[in-house]
Amino acid sequence: MPTVGVGRDLLFQALGKSYTQEEFDELCFEYGIELDDVTTEKAIIRKEKHLEEDAEPDGDDEEVIYKIEVPANRSDLLCLEGIARSLRIFTGAEETPKYKLSDISSKSIVTMHVKPETELIRPYVVCAVLRGVKFDLARYNSFIDLQDKLHENICRKRTLVAIGTHDLDTIEGPFTYEALQPSQINFVPLKESKSFRADELMQHYKSDKKLKKFLNIIEDSPVYPVIYDINRTVLSLPPIINGAHSAITLKTKNVFIECTATDITKAKIVLNTMVTMFSEYCERKFEVEPVKVVYANGSSQIYPDLSDYTLEVPLSYITSQVGIKMEANEVISFLKKMQLNVKQSNSGDENSITVSVPPTRSDILHACDVMEDLSIAYGFNKIPETIPATRTEGKRQPLNLFSDLIRLQVAMAGYKEVLTWVLCSCEENFSMLNRKDDGKTSVIIENPRSSEFEAVRTTLMPGLLKSVKHNMDHPRPIKIFEVGDVVFLDEEQDVGASNNRRLAALYCSNNSGYEDIHGLVERIMKIIGIPVDLTGEKKKDDHYYLQPSHKPEFLEGRQCDIIVNGRAVGTFGIVHPEVLEKFGVYPNPCSFVEMDIQCLI
Amino acid sequence: MARTEEAVLEFLHSNEEIPDSHQFATSLGLLHGELENVIKSLHGFQLVVAQAYVSSGSPEAQLFFGVPPEGISTDELKRKLGDGIFKIGSAQARKNGWIDIGKQGVTRKTEHIEDRVKDLLNKIKNGEAVSDGDVADVKKRKLIDRQIWKGYSLTKGPKYTIKRKRVVTDLTREILLRGDWKDLEFKEYNLNAGARPLEYGCDHPLLKVREQFQNIFLQMGFAEMPTNKFVESSFWNFDALFQPQQHPARDSHDTFFLRAPSTTRQLPEDYVEKVKCVHESGGFGSKGCAILHLYIWVRLEEAEANKNVLRTHTTAVSSRMLYLLAQDSFTPKKYFSIDRVFRNEAVDRTHLASLICDRGLTLGDLKGVLRSFFARLGISKLRFKPAYNPYTEPSMEIFSYHEGLKKWVEIGNSGMFRPEMLLPMGLPEDVSVIAWIFLGFLLLNRPTMILYGIDNIRDLFGHKVDLNLIKENPICRLGMDYPKISP
């Protein structure tokens, strides 16, 4: 969830009302945003620089900042303007504004020509103009911050959409959106004083803390996207940097906004968010001047599209899902608080309403979204609670129940239960157990966070050995166990891997404790209902017997397989001294058993 | 020993008091030390009351009184008093001018003495004030430290009897076979001593909590889902949940993708087609993830939906279960699961997920079920906040008032699954699914964690856990207070 920092006093000014912190917190909670933190500019800087709390005494004149967490699908709440407007409408202090395009003749409309080469790298561009904007420092900062927030969230760190804003009075249309070889692009970028060639600029930004993370979006492309005006002034090199020439200042009156994108839907949402928020400061409030985007094939499109999106919604559907009876007029007044304007259905159906969704509410996709807004406006906490009449019976998963029964028995046999990580290193799965990795056994993570967690365990042995190592000062004998899943590659499964439920127990003392582990095996098998066959005939189906095994993690001649129906369901024995050494348990002898209990259900 | 005890008890039977244990010992022909052991034992069992006092006077006074008026030979006196007393006493008594030691023996020089040392020791014993100089003098002579002249006066104790019972500490098979347990006295237990450490096994604290959760779900009629599938395809983990392919959760810094097995080979094709449609162009009354058909949902070989992941939530299992449910004639279901999930930020985590699938469920039902569920956990103060989640609408965050922190904290997430998720599966249109996940599953053991000073779940989970924590963890009492639910 994105967090937006806004000045408390400016926010209350915009809301036209002051709140106590508790009152404001409550209002946020009801609306579905969260007052996450209350801080000050200086406190934020102190935190960033890791300074002591009392390095600087707090002055009373410090501006209080509210950090507000907003839902990820509400781009319109990423700035003070949007939060204040939404809350004003929610509390009934204001109606939803009508956002509209200014009338402009086809002659004087600003145009953007798209060159076909942009297909290769970043195919879409959408634009708009804000006329007669009045900036002050707070508005200007908010304008910049909103672009940052959009870039960070819906724009997916500029990969999907990148925004460029320019002082329209410094440039001259028509503009062209092109894709050129890096060596052909030269300009003075923002915050620099000299001109760079695009490929040099990329090198230059390799050391730029903020910009270096965007370089990979275009770096390896043979062509870079670039926007020029008629005089070949570079407006921007999306998604990296704007030109210095057209930079916005506090004095800027007319703003040209371009959004280049790989996702046209997101580009339109981003553009709409920018213009619906900041047209508030235009000479003609909430009026936006359109821009014509012309493609090479001659087709063209006017942006932004500020028309309402309409949705037919059955009244009974939304009220019955909320669980309350409501008249149409009640529904209408509630939805108004959420910026949704409602009319009786176009189709003349009395049980249906037509909801018109303003361009600020791109999150509304379905009648269920309208239903949610109705619930929010009604108040989640006011909705009467009911118990559904659904009649069903409780039931455990047999495997889990079986595991729990066995866990209890092992604990009763004097073993202490541990829970270890499912992820481990490749070494722990194989080489540290003296095993060879055939590449066909374990699940490997493509993007591990650390080598400690790069594979999924194929045995519980490393977890138990590591637990012993960390409890070396525990009184002897150390007797621990775990019941849990290991995972193997498995061709027969749709996903190519399958879990296997295992029981493992480990005994560590001054002697190996082999007899103790042997006793545990006999006990567990007996209570499962598979008694031991000591005749040596290996014939009884409902019995198990032991037979020598040759596993590298155990000491040779001191290990055996547990055989049921001719199949080894587990192995126990004295842990190989080399394995003890690798896990740092040496010189404390250990015996260990691991069994597949899934096959014994 | 037994004869000495007999003598003491018999003497007290006919006499009020044994005034001086030293004299008594002499009369029995015993060393005082032997008698002292008997006295201590009888005193311990309250057969007698022994009062310690400084018995026979200082060595010099004993020496003085040991000298009869007619005088005594040195050897005789030594034998009478013992070497120790003779040595210390004679020097001091001579210094005091009480006696004379000559060739013919020891004679008194005076008829009356004042035993200042005995008075002093008595004062010290009774806690009376004495001058520092006096103490130093006594100490120098090692009279305080040694206490070898301590004696006792004895009187009957509350449990006096002429012949005491035999005292034992334990009831044994031998005693029962002998049948004399009635004649035995059992030594009193010291209840301030700790018990002998027990050898025992134990289950893991977090699984104790899990068990109580399972019980609560079973009481509420929920069936457990099979969650033993850590590897999942992106399709079931994300796409089936109407989670757009550019959704941040699908980023590599949140999700573990797999090198092996990298992709899923097999998906239910007709269902995949429906999911693709609803993502790209909507349908089922939705605009879809892309408003103008331009978002291309990718599912080629090696492509998004087929990419394998370690499941990031157990809702992946829920989606499989609901899909299976939709393949048959519809019956209402309540499901739960408690199992591990894997995210880059928190390597191994346990998730608790549950859902109810039925016709005509409402948001009020969801609130009611949550109220009932949390009441069973002893959590009664709840409130709900609107939130965002790609596959639920409405989405409600669950907050509970934390009495310790004195504030509302988020404990879970809930909502109704979106029609875009349910309808492509083939569930009937009037079927709704209300679902919730509980974030605080592991934190519920918080009182325990605070008790042992654990502030990190890693202290209870993973190989670095201290076995003593596991050993000493109390039982989990969750769900013991049956709730009064008034929705």
mmCIF file with all atom_site columns, all heavy atoms in Angstrom, chain A residues 156 268 309 372 383 386 390 395 419 446-447, chain B residues 224 246 251-252 287 292 358 365 393 462:
data_model
loop_
_atom_site.group_PDB
_atom_site.id
_atom_site.type_symbol
_atom_site.label_atom_id
_atom_site.label_alt_id
_atom_site.label_comp_id
_atom_site.label_asym_id
_atom_site.label_entity_id
_atom_site.label_seq_id
_atom_site.pdbx_PDB_ins_code
_atom_site.Cartn_x
_atom_site.Cartn_y
_atom_site.Cartn_z
_atom_site.occupancy
_atom_site.B_iso_or_equiv
_atom_site.pdbx_formal_charge
_atom_site.auth_seq_id
_atom_site.auth_comp_id
_atom_site.auth_asym_id
_atom_site.auth_atom_id
_atom_site.pdbx_PDB_model_num
ATOM 1   N N   . ARG A 1 156 ? 4.720   1.169   -12.173 1.00 0.00 ? 156 ARG A N   1
ATOM 2   C CA  . ARG A 1 156 ? 5.675   0.099   -11.906 1.00 0.00 ? 156 ARG A CA  1
ATOM 3   C C   . ARG A 1 156 ? 7.105   0.576   -12.160 1.00 0.00 ? 156 ARG A C   1
ATOM 4   O O   . ARG A 1 156 ? 7.816   0.040   -13.009 1.00 0.00 ? 156 ARG A O   1
ATOM 5   C CB  . ARG A 1 156 ? 5.386   -1.150  -12.727 1.00 0.00 ? 156 ARG A CB  1
ATOM 6   C CG  . ARG A 1 156 ? 3.977   -1.684  -12.669 1.00 0.00 ? 156 ARG A CG  1
ATOM 7   C CD  . ARG A 1 156 ? 3.489   -2.079  -11.282 1.00 0.00 ? 156 ARG A CD  1
ATOM 8   N NE  . ARG A 1 156 ? 4.520   -2.614  -10.424 1.00 0.00 ? 156 ARG A NE  1
ATOM 9   C CZ  . ARG A 1 156 ? 4.992   -3.841  -10.491 1.00 0.00 ? 156 ARG A CZ  1
ATOM 10  N NH1 . ARG A 1 156 ? 4.509   -4.676  -11.379 1.00 0.00 ? 156 ARG A NH1 1
ATOM 11  N NH2 . ARG A 1 156 ? 5.927   -4.239  -9.673  1.00 0.00 ? 156 ARG A NH2 1
ATOM 12  N N   . LYS A 1 268 ? -3.381  5.988   -19.704 1.00 0.00 ? 268 LYS A N   1
ATOM 13  C CA  . LYS A 1 268 ? -4.555  6.856   -19.660 1.00 0.00 ? 268 LYS A CA  1
ATOM 14  C C   . LYS A 1 268 ? -4.974  7.157   -18.229 1.00 0.00 ? 268 LYS A C   1
ATOM 15  O O   . LYS A 1 268 ? -5.384  8.276   -17.909 1.00 0.00 ? 268 LYS A O   1
ATOM 16  C CB  . LYS A 1 268 ? -5.700  6.204   -20.442 1.00 0.00 ? 268 LYS A CB  1
ATOM 17  C CG  . LYS A 1 268 ? -5.398  6.223   -21.943 1.00 0.00 ? 268 LYS A CG  1
ATOM 18  C CD  . LYS A 1 268 ? -6.604  5.939   -22.784 1.00 0.00 ? 268 LYS A CD  1
ATOM 19  C CE  . LYS A 1 268 ? -6.964  4.479   -22.695 1.00 0.00 ? 268 LYS A CE  1
ATOM 20  N NZ  . LYS A 1 268 ? -7.997  4.135   -23.713 1.00 0.00 ? 268 LYS A NZ  1
ATOM 21  N N   . TYR A 1 309 ? -17.458 6.703   -17.189 1.00 0.00 ? 309 TYR A N   1
ATOM 22  C CA  . TYR A 1 309 ? -17.682 5.317   -17.589 1.00 0.00 ? 309 TYR A CA  1
ATOM 23  C C   . TYR A 1 309 ? -18.987 4.903   -16.925 1.00 0.00 ? 309 TYR A C   1
ATOM 24  O O   . TYR A 1 309 ? -19.201 5.177   -15.749 1.00 0.00 ? 309 TYR A O   1
ATOM 25  C CB  . TYR A 1 309 ? -16.508 4.473   -17.098 1.00 0.00 ? 309 TYR A CB  1
ATOM 26  C CG  . TYR A 1 309 ? -16.726 2.992   -17.032 1.00 0.00 ? 309 TYR A CG  1
ATOM 27  C CD1 . TYR A 1 309 ? -16.889 2.245   -18.209 1.00 0.00 ? 309 TYR A CD1 1
ATOM 28  C CD2 . TYR A 1 309 ? -16.746 2.326   -15.798 1.00 0.00 ? 309 TYR A CD2 1
ATOM 29  C CE1 . TYR A 1 309 ? -17.066 0.875   -18.141 1.00 0.00 ? 309 TYR A CE1 1
ATOM 30  C CE2 . TYR A 1 309 ? -16.923 0.954   -15.745 1.00 0.00 ? 309 TYR A CE2 1
ATOM 31  C CZ  . TYR A 1 309 ? -17.089 0.237   -16.907 1.00 0.00 ? 309 TYR A CZ  1
ATOM 32  O OH  . TYR A 1 309 ? -17.262 -1.117  -16.842 1.00 0.00 ? 309 TYR A OH  1
ATOM 33  N N   . GLU A 1 372 ? -19.103 -2.342  -3.018  1.00 0.00 ? 372 GLU A N   1
ATOM 34  C CA  . GLU A 1 372 ? -18.164 -2.004  -1.941  1.00 0.00 ? 372 GLU A CA  1
ATOM 35  C C   . GLU A 1 372 ? -18.286 -0.529  -1.557  1.00 0.00 ? 372 GLU A C   1
ATOM 36  O O   . GLU A 1 372 ? -18.319 -0.184  -0.383  1.00 0.00 ? 372 GLU A O   1
ATOM 37  C CB  . GLU A 1 372 ? -16.711 -2.285  -2.345  1.00 0.00 ? 372 GLU A CB  1
ATOM 38  C CG  . GLU A 1 372 ? -15.760 -1.885  -1.222  1.00 0.00 ? 372 GLU A CG  1
ATOM 39  C CD  . GLU A 1 372 ? -14.299 -2.151  -1.531  1.00 0.00 ? 372 GLU A CD  1
ATOM 40  O OE1 . GLU A 1 372 ? -13.771 -1.554  -2.486  1.00 0.00 ? 372 GLU A OE1 1
ATOM 41  O OE2 . GLU A 1 372 ? -13.706 -2.973  -0.823  1.00 0.00 ? 372 GLU A OE2 1
ATOM 42  N N   . ILE A 1 383 ? -22.937 -1.978  9.437   1.00 0.00 ? 383 ILE A N   1
ATOM 43  C CA  . ILE A 1 383 ? -23.670 -3.081  8.812   1.00 0.00 ? 383 ILE A CA  1
ATOM 44  C C   . ILE A 1 383 ? -23.986 -4.135  9.872   1.00 0.00 ? 383 ILE A C   1
ATOM 45  O O   . ILE A 1 383 ? -23.095 -4.575  10.593  1.00 0.00 ? 383 ILE A O   1
ATOM 46  C CB  . ILE A 1 383 ? -22.845 -3.709  7.660   1.00 0.00 ? 383 ILE A CB  1
ATOM 47  C CG1 . ILE A 1 383 ? -22.651 -2.672  6.549   1.00 0.00 ? 383 ILE A CG1 1
ATOM 48  C CG2 . ILE A 1 383 ? -23.512 -4.961  7.125   1.00 0.00 ? 383 ILE A CG2 1
ATOM 49  C CD1 . ILE A 1 383 ? -21.666 -3.102  5.483   1.00 0.00 ? 383 ILE A CD1 1
ATOM 50  N N   . THR A 1 386 ? -24.604 -10.845 10.904  1.00 0.00 ? 386 THR A N   1
ATOM 51  C CA  . THR A 1 386 ? -25.490 -12.006 10.863  1.00 0.00 ? 386 THR A CA  1
ATOM 52  C C   . THR A 1 386 ? -24.627 -13.257 10.775  1.00 0.00 ? 386 THR A C   1
ATOM 53  O O   . THR A 1 386 ? -23.477 -13.194 10.357  1.00 0.00 ? 386 THR A O   1
ATOM 54  C CB  . THR A 1 386 ? -26.405 -11.948 9.620   1.00 0.00 ? 386 THR A CB  1
ATOM 55  O OG1 . THR A 1 386 ? -25.579 -11.635 8.491   1.00 0.00 ? 386 THR A OG1 1
ATOM 56  C CG2 . THR A 1 386 ? -27.482 -10.896 9.762   1.00 0.00 ? 386 THR A CG2 1
ATOM 57  N N   . THR A 1 390 ? -25.275 -21.465 6.529   1.00 0.00 ? 390 THR A N   1
ATOM 58  C CA  . THR A 1 390 ? -24.558 -22.573 5.875   1.00 0.00 ? 390 THR A CA  1
ATOM 59  C C   . THR A 1 390 ? -24.291 -23.719 6.848   1.00 0.00 ? 390 THR A C   1
ATOM 60  O O   . THR A 1 390 ? -23.663 -23.527 7.883   1.00 0.00 ? 390 THR A O   1
ATOM 61  C CB  . THR A 1 390 ? -23.218 -22.059 5.316   1.00 0.00 ? 390 THR A CB  1
ATOM 62  O OG1 . THR A 1 390 ? -23.463 -20.884 4.563   1.00 0.00 ? 390 THR A OG1 1
ATOM 63  C CG2 . THR A 1 390 ? -22.543 -23.121 4.471   1.00 0.00 ? 390 THR A CG2 1
ATOM 64  N N   . LYS A 1 395 ? -14.036 -31.198 9.337   1.00 0.00 ? 395 LYS A N   1
ATOM 65  C CA  . LYS A 1 395 ? -13.314 -32.404 8.943   1.00 0.00 ? 395 LYS A CA  1
ATOM 66  C C   . LYS A 1 395 ? -11.827 -32.097 8.816   1.00 0.00 ? 395 LYS A C   1
ATOM 67  O O   . LYS A 1 395 ? -11.448 -31.067 8.287   1.00 0.00 ? 395 LYS A O   1
ATOM 68  C CB  . LYS A 1 395 ? -13.856 -32.880 7.587   1.00 0.00 ? 395 LYS A CB  1
ATOM 69  C CG  . LYS A 1 395 ? -13.427 -34.274 7.185   1.00 0.00 ? 395 LYS A CG  1
ATOM 70  C CD  . LYS A 1 395 ? -14.223 -34.704 5.945   1.00 0.00 ? 395 LYS A CD  1
ATOM 71  C CE  . LYS A 1 395 ? -13.864 -36.086 5.474   1.00 0.00 ? 395 LYS A CE  1
ATOM 72  N NZ  . LYS A 1 395 ? -12.548 -36.214 4.896   1.00 0.00 ? 395 LYS A NZ  1
ATOM 73  N N   . LEU A 1 419 ? 10.572  -26.920 14.875  1.00 0.00 ? 419 LEU A N   1
ATOM 74  C CA  . LEU A 1 419 ? 9.997   -26.547 13.579  1.00 0.00 ? 419 LEU A CA  1
ATOM 75  C C   . LEU A 1 419 ? 11.097  -25.812 12.836  1.00 0.00 ? 419 LEU A C   1
ATOM 76  O O   . LEU A 1 419 ? 11.509  -24.741 13.271  1.00 0.00 ? 419 LEU A O   1
ATOM 77  C CB  . LEU A 1 419 ? 8.843   -25.563 13.790  1.00 0.00 ? 419 LEU A CB  1
ATOM 78  C CG  . LEU A 1 419 ? 7.442   -26.085 13.988  1.00 0.00 ? 419 LEU A CG  1
ATOM 79  C CD1 . LEU A 1 419 ? 6.487   -24.908 14.116  1.00 0.00 ? 419 LEU A CD1 1
ATOM 80  C CD2 . LEU A 1 419 ? 7.010   -26.981 12.846  1.00 0.00 ? 419 LEU A CD2 1
ATOM 81  N N   . GLU A 1 446 ? 14.764  -19.589 -8.256  1.00 0.00 ? 446 GLU A N   1
ATOM 82  C CA  . GLU A 1 446 ? 15.415  -18.804 -9.308  1.00 0.00 ? 446 GLU A CA  1
ATOM 83  C C   . GLU A 1 446 ? 16.017  -17.526 -8.725  1.00 0.00 ? 446 GLU A C   1
ATOM 84  O O   . GLU A 1 446 ? 17.098  -17.110 -9.112  1.00 0.00 ? 446 GLU A O   1
ATOM 85  C CB  . GLU A 1 446 ? 14.370  -18.459 -10.383 1.00 0.00 ? 446 GLU A CB  1
ATOM 86  C CG  . GLU A 1 446 ? 14.836  -17.552 -11.494 1.00 0.00 ? 446 GLU A CG  1
ATOM 87  C CD  . GLU A 1 446 ? 15.862  -18.227 -12.388 1.00 0.00 ? 446 GLU A CD  1
ATOM 88  O OE1 . GLU A 1 446 ? 15.663  -19.413 -12.709 1.00 0.00 ? 446 GLU A OE1 1
ATOM 89  O OE2 . GLU A 1 446 ? 16.854  -17.555 -12.753 1.00 0.00 ? 446 GLU A OE2 1
ATOM 90  N N   . ASN A 1 447 ? 15.282  -16.915 -7.804  1.00 0.00 ? 447 ASN A N   1
ATOM 91  C CA  . ASN A 1 447 ? 15.704  -15.620 -7.268  1.00 0.00 ? 447 ASN A CA  1
ATOM 92  C C   . ASN A 1 447 ? 15.821  -15.683 -5.754  1.00 0.00 ? 447 ASN A C   1
ATOM 93  O O   . ASN A 1 447 ? 15.053  -15.073 -5.029  1.00 0.00 ? 447 ASN A O   1
ATOM 94  C CB  . ASN A 1 447 ? 14.698  -14.531 -7.675  1.00 0.00 ? 447 ASN A CB  1
ATOM 95  C CG  . ASN A 1 447 ? 13.277  -14.891 -7.297  1.00 0.00 ? 447 ASN A CG  1
ATOM 96  O OD1 . ASN A 1 447 ? 12.902  -16.067 -7.239  1.00 0.00 ? 447 ASN A OD1 1
ATOM 97  N ND2 . ASN A 1 447 ? 12.461  -13.890 -7.010  1.00 0.00 ? 447 ASN A ND2 1
ATOM 98  N N   . GLU B 2 224 ? -10.839 -29.051 6.645   1.00 0.00 ? 224 GLU B N   1
ATOM 99  C CA  . GLU B 2 224 ? -9.464  -28.666 6.341   1.00 0.00 ? 224 GLU B CA  1
ATOM 100 C C   . GLU B 2 224 ? -9.169  -28.874 4.852   1.00 0.00 ? 224 GLU B C   1
ATOM 101 O O   . GLU B 2 224 ? -9.597  -29.866 4.266   1.00 0.00 ? 224 GLU B O   1
ATOM 102 C CB  . GLU B 2 224 ? -8.507  -29.517 7.185   1.00 0.00 ? 224 GLU B CB  1
ATOM 103 C CG  . GLU B 2 224 ? -7.111  -28.964 7.264   1.00 0.00 ? 224 GLU B CG  1
ATOM 104 C CD  . GLU B 2 224 ? -6.208  -29.788 8.190   1.00 0.00 ? 224 GLU B CD  1
ATOM 105 O OE1 . GLU B 2 224 ? -6.541  -30.950 8.489   1.00 0.00 ? 224 GLU B OE1 1
ATOM 106 O OE2 . GLU B 2 224 ? -5.173  -29.268 8.607   1.00 0.00 ? 224 GLU B OE2 1
ATOM 107 N N   . GLN B 2 246 ? 0.749   -7.591  -14.258 1.00 0.00 ? 246 GLN B N   1
ATOM 108 C CA  . GLN B 2 246 ? 1.756   -6.593  -13.857 1.00 0.00 ? 246 GLN B CA  1
ATOM 109 C C   . GLN B 2 246 ? 1.610   -6.225  -12.397 1.00 0.00 ? 246 GLN B C   1
ATOM 110 O O   . GLN B 2 246 ? 2.110   -5.217  -11.942 1.00 0.00 ? 246 GLN B O   1
ATOM 111 C CB  . GLN B 2 246 ? 1.659   -5.290  -14.668 1.00 0.00 ? 246 GLN B CB  1
ATOM 112 C CG  . GLN B 2 246 ? 1.512   -5.424  -16.127 1.00 0.00 ? 246 GLN B CG  1
ATOM 113 C CD  . GLN B 2 246 ? 0.061   -5.246  -16.511 1.00 0.00 ? 246 GLN B CD  1
ATOM 114 O OE1 . GLN B 2 246 ? -0.834  -5.700  -15.830 1.00 0.00 ? 246 GLN B OE1 1
ATOM 115 N NE2 . GLN B 2 246 ? -0.165  -4.590  -17.631 1.00 0.00 ? 246 GLN B NE2 1
ATOM 116 N N   . ASP B 2 251 ? 6.119   -9.417  -8.548  1.00 0.00 ? 251 ASP B N   1
ATOM 117 C CA  . ASP B 2 251 ? 7.521   -9.042  -8.747  1.00 0.00 ? 251 ASP B CA  1
ATOM 118 C C   . ASP B 2 251 ? 8.438   -10.056 -8.083  1.00 0.00 ? 251 ASP B C   1
ATOM 119 O O   . ASP B 2 251 ? 8.093   -10.695 -7.111  1.00 0.00 ? 251 ASP B O   1
ATOM 120 C CB  . ASP B 2 251 ? 7.787   -7.677  -8.087  1.00 0.00 ? 251 ASP B CB  1
ATOM 121 C CG  . ASP B 2 251 ? 7.710   -6.576  -9.105  1.00 0.00 ? 251 ASP B CG  1
ATOM 122 O OD1 . ASP B 2 251 ? 7.221   -6.858  -10.218 1.00 0.00 ? 251 ASP B OD1 1
ATOM 123 O OD2 . ASP B 2 251 ? 8.117   -5.454  -8.781  1.00 0.00 ? 251 ASP B OD2 1
ATOM 124 N N   . SER B 2 252 ? 9.631   -10.131 -8.634  1.00 0.00 ? 252 SER B N   1
ATOM 125 C CA  . SER B 2 252 ? 10.565  -11.122 -8.101  1.00 0.00 ? 252 SER B CA  1
ATOM 126 C C   . SER B 2 252 ? 11.018  -10.779 -6.688  1.00 0.00 ? 252 SER B C   1
ATOM 127 O O   . SER B 2 252 ? 11.479  -11.622 -5.968  1.00 0.00 ? 252 SER B O   1
ATOM 128 C CB  . SER B 2 252 ? 11.767  -11.242 -9.018  1.00 0.00 ? 252 SER B CB  1
ATOM 129 O OG  . SER B 2 252 ? 12.384  -9.988  -9.130  1.00 0.00 ? 252 SER B OG  1
ATOM 130 N N   . LYS B 2 287 ? -15.097 -4.881  -16.457 1.00 0.00 ? 287 LYS B N   1
ATOM 131 C CA  . LYS B 2 287 ? -14.240 -4.239  -17.451 1.00 0.00 ? 287 LYS B CA  1
ATOM 132 C C   . LYS B 2 287 ? -12.959 -5.020  -17.664 1.00 0.00 ? 287 LYS B C   1
ATOM 133 O O   . LYS B 2 287 ? -12.227 -4.780  -18.619 1.00 0.00 ? 287 LYS B O   1
ATOM 134 C CB  . LYS B 2 287 ? -13.858 -2.836  -16.964 1.00 0.00 ? 287 LYS B CB  1
ATOM 135 C CG  . LYS B 2 287 ? -14.893 -1.797  -17.297 1.00 0.00 ? 287 LYS B CG  1
ATOM 136 C CD  . LYS B 2 287 ? -14.749 -0.497  -16.527 1.00 0.00 ? 287 LYS B CD  1
ATOM 137 C CE  . LYS B 2 287 ? -13.457 0.226   -16.664 1.00 0.00 ? 287 LYS B CE  1
ATOM 138 N NZ  . LYS B 2 287 ? -13.539 1.639   -16.202 1.00 0.00 ? 287 LYS B NZ  1
ATOM 139 N N   . LEU B 2 292 ? -9.390  -1.407  -22.549 1.00 0.00 ? 292 LEU B N   1
ATOM 140 C CA  . LEU B 2 292 ? -9.583  -1.351  -23.999 1.00 0.00 ? 292 LEU B CA  1
ATOM 141 C C   . LEU B 2 292 ? -8.955  -2.518  -24.745 1.00 0.00 ? 292 LEU B C   1
ATOM 142 O O   . LEU B 2 292 ? -8.381  -2.346  -25.814 1.00 0.00 ? 292 LEU B O   1
ATOM 143 C CB  . LEU B 2 292 ? -9.051  -0.032  -24.546 1.00 0.00 ? 292 LEU B CB  1
ATOM 144 C CG  . LEU B 2 292 ? -9.946  1.163   -24.241 1.00 0.00 ? 292 LEU B CG  1
ATOM 145 C CD1 . LEU B 2 292 ? -9.287  2.436   -24.721 1.00 0.00 ? 292 LEU B CD1 1
ATOM 146 C CD2 . LEU B 2 292 ? -11.307 1.002   -24.895 1.00 0.00 ? 292 LEU B CD2 1
ATOM 147 N N   . ASP B 2 358 ? -21.301 -20.252 -0.324  1.00 0.00 ? 358 ASP B N   1
ATOM 148 C CA  . ASP B 2 358 ? -22.724 -20.596 -0.278  1.00 0.00 ? 358 ASP B CA  1
ATOM 149 C C   . ASP B 2 358 ? -23.509 -19.590 -1.103  1.00 0.00 ? 358 ASP B C   1
ATOM 150 O O   . ASP B 2 358 ? -22.977 -18.556 -1.500  1.00 0.00 ? 358 ASP B O   1
ATOM 151 C CB  . ASP B 2 358 ? -23.215 -20.595 1.184   1.00 0.00 ? 358 ASP B CB  1
ATOM 152 C CG  . ASP B 2 358 ? -24.511 -21.405 1.352   1.00 0.00 ? 358 ASP B CG  1
ATOM 153 O OD1 . ASP B 2 358 ? -25.062 -21.887 0.332   1.00 0.00 ? 358 ASP B OD1 1
ATOM 154 O OD2 . ASP B 2 358 ? -24.950 -21.545 2.496   1.00 0.00 ? 358 ASP B OD2 1
ATOM 155 N N   . ASP B 2 365 ? -22.900 -11.247 6.867   1.00 0.00 ? 365 ASP B N   1
ATOM 156 C CA  . ASP B 2 365 ? -22.522 -12.619 7.236   1.00 0.00 ? 365 ASP B CA  1
ATOM 157 C C   . ASP B 2 365 ? -21.034 -12.695 7.537   1.00 0.00 ? 365 ASP B C   1
ATOM 158 O O   . ASP B 2 365 ? -20.615 -13.328 8.500   1.00 0.00 ? 365 ASP B O   1
ATOM 159 C CB  . ASP B 2 365 ? -22.837 -13.595 6.093   1.00 0.00 ? 365 ASP B CB  1
ATOM 160 C CG  . ASP B 2 365 ? -24.329 -13.840 5.950   1.00 0.00 ? 365 ASP B CG  1
ATOM 161 O OD1 . ASP B 2 365 ? -25.056 -13.608 6.928   1.00 0.00 ? 365 ASP B OD1 1
ATOM 162 O OD2 . ASP B 2 365 ? -24.762 -14.265 4.859   1.00 0.00 ? 365 ASP B OD2 1
ATOM 163 N N   . GLU B 2 393 ? -13.740 -8.091  -3.129  1.00 0.00 ? 393 GLU B N   1
ATOM 164 C CA  . GLU B 2 393 ? -14.476 -6.837  -3.220  1.00 0.00 ? 393 GLU B CA  1
ATOM 165 C C   . GLU B 2 393 ? -15.853 -7.093  -2.645  1.00 0.00 ? 393 GLU B C   1
ATOM 166 O O   . GLU B 2 393 ? -16.574 -7.924  -3.189  1.00 0.00 ? 393 GLU B O   1
ATOM 167 C CB  . GLU B 2 393 ? -14.565 -6.376  -4.680  1.00 0.00 ? 393 GLU B CB  1
ATOM 168 C CG  . GLU B 2 393 ? -15.042 -4.973  -4.880  1.00 0.00 ? 393 GLU B CG  1
ATOM 169 C CD  . GLU B 2 393 ? -13.935 -3.923  -4.671  1.00 0.00 ? 393 GLU B CD  1
ATOM 170 O OE1 . GLU B 2 393 ? -12.763 -4.317  -4.543  1.00 0.00 ? 393 GLU B OE1 1
ATOM 171 O OE2 . GLU B 2 393 ? -14.265 -2.744  -4.612  1.00 0.00 ? 393 GLU B OE2 1
ATOM 172 N N   . GLY B 2 462 ? 12.573  -22.283 13.345  1.00 0.00 ? 462 GLY B N   1
ATOM 173 C CA  . GLY B 2 462 ? 13.886  -22.418 12.730  1.00 0.00 ? 462 GLY B CA  1
ATOM 174 C C   . GLY B 2 462 ? 14.842  -23.139 13.674  1.00 0.00 ? 462 GLY B C   1
ATOM 175 O O   . GLY B 2 462 ? 14.493  -23.487 14.792  1.00 0.00 ? 462 GLY B O   1
#
